[in-house]
Amino acid sequence: MARRVSRVRMTGPLARYAEEFKAVLAARGYTPLSAVNQVRLLAHVSRWLEGRGLGAEEFTVELMEEFLLERRAEGYRHLRTCRGMQPLVRFLRDRGVAAVESAATAREDSPSEVALEEYRGYLVEERALANSTISQRIGVARTFLDGRCRLEGDTVALEEVTAAEVIAFVTAQCRDHSVGWAKNLVTGLRSLLRFLHVRGYLDLPLWAAVPPVAGWRGGAL
């Protein structure tokens, strides 16, 4: 029997867990969009298992990797890595449902990839940006986030960032680059910092601290 959660149509062996999964995500502080994307992922896994005549308890590490290969091949643009599946896998494992172990979800990506995966989903779903723009902004985000993210239990934490550090980052990155390159960097960094603040990674709206780029190299930096 099909169910609907947040307008996501549910069929298959995981459908009965959808409402509870949504509630768990909300309790963990996920934004409505991020939660819906995770529920959509659950729906996709459930349909995939149903199509193969498998139950939830048969969802092993090997099957998860097979599922992700097919998800990428079908053109899905986010939540298509082991790390992106961590919230769902943890939820199912905690209820004794799936056979996927937690270690499998951590072997592919660094902690920063968790935030990057959510950011990519935001750029795709909410901003509907072109692929080239998304790639450019993810590149800026990865440069900024590498080394700043860490795991705290089951969640990702971002070390405290100050306005001075944001300015220092822009100054260092823009050195010896063109004005056009610098403009792309500051636009991408403002987008990332706005997302991190809304998502709860950062307490302060630090996008306002990103300095403008003047009409000549380094003029405003």
Side-chain angles (χ1 to χ4, degrees):
M1 180 178 179
R3 302 187 182 187
R4 290 184 180 273
V5 179
S6 299
R7 299 183 180 178
V8 180
R9 187 173 184 272
M10 293 284 174
T11 63
L14 301 183
R16 63 194 179 103
Y17 298 102
E19 290 285 359
E20 185 182 3
F21 184 46
K22 181 183 176 184
V24 167
L25 293 171
R28 288 178 177 167
Y30 279 71
T31 63
L33 177 63
S34 296
V36 167
N37 285 336
Q38 284 289 333
V39 172
R40 286 172 178 163
L41 177 63
L42 181 148
H44 190 187
V45 173
S46 191
R47 293 193 306 271
W48 189 85
L49 290 171
E50 182 182 39
R52 285 155 182 75
L54 300 172
E57 70 282 355
E58 298 175 273
F59 192 47
T60 61
V61 173
E62 292 73 21
L63 282 179
M64 180 180 71
E65 292 174 343
E66 183 181 342
F67 165 78
L68 289 171
L69 283 173
E70 293 190 22
R71 183 171 169 87
R72 288 191 285 266
E74 289 173 13
Y76 285 85
R77 296 167 68 184
H78 64 290
L79 294 181
R80 56 184 200 168
T81 67
C82 290
R83 177 66 71 180
M85 289 193 66
Q86 185 180 29
L88 173 58
V89 169
R90 183 170 66 248
F91 169 82
L92 295 175
R93 189 187 70 249
D94 288 348
R95 280 144 188 83
V97 178
V100 180
E101 297 181 1
S102 60
T105 65
R107 71 188 184 198
E108 184 173 311
D109 302 313
S110 67
S112 65
E113 291 296 329
V114 180
L116 286 172
E117 190 71 22
E118 291 186 33
Y119 180 51
R120 187 190 303 276
Y122 161 76
L123 296 176
V124 172
E125 297 289 340
E126 293 193 19
R127 299 301 310 282
L129 298 179
N131 288 339
S132 58
T133 302
I134 292 173
S135 296
Q136 186 270 330
R137 293 196 177 177
I138 291 295
V140 171
R142 179 170 282 111
T143 301
F144 182 78
L145 289 176
D146 276 352
R148 290 185 172 273
C149 289
R150 64 188 184 279
L151 284 174
E152 289 187 353
D154 289 330
T155 62
V156 173
L158 186 65
E159 70 178 39
E160 185 176 350
V161 182
T162 66
E165 289 172 331
V166 170
I167 294 171
F169 173 82
V170 173
T171 301
Q173 291 295 316
C174 290
R175 188 176 295 119
D176 299 325
H177 283 93
S178 68
V179 171
W181 189 95
K183 287 182 177 179
N184 285 333
L185 180 128
V186 299
T187 299
L189 184 58
R190 287 191 187 111
S191 171
L192 172 68
L193 293 173
R194 185 177 292 108
F195 165 80
L196 292 174
H197 176 61
V198 171
R199 181 63 181 82
Y201 285 101
L202 294 176
D203 292 333
L204 299 175
L206 290 176
W207 66 81
V210 180
V213 178
W216 62 91
R217 182 176 297 176
L221 303 178

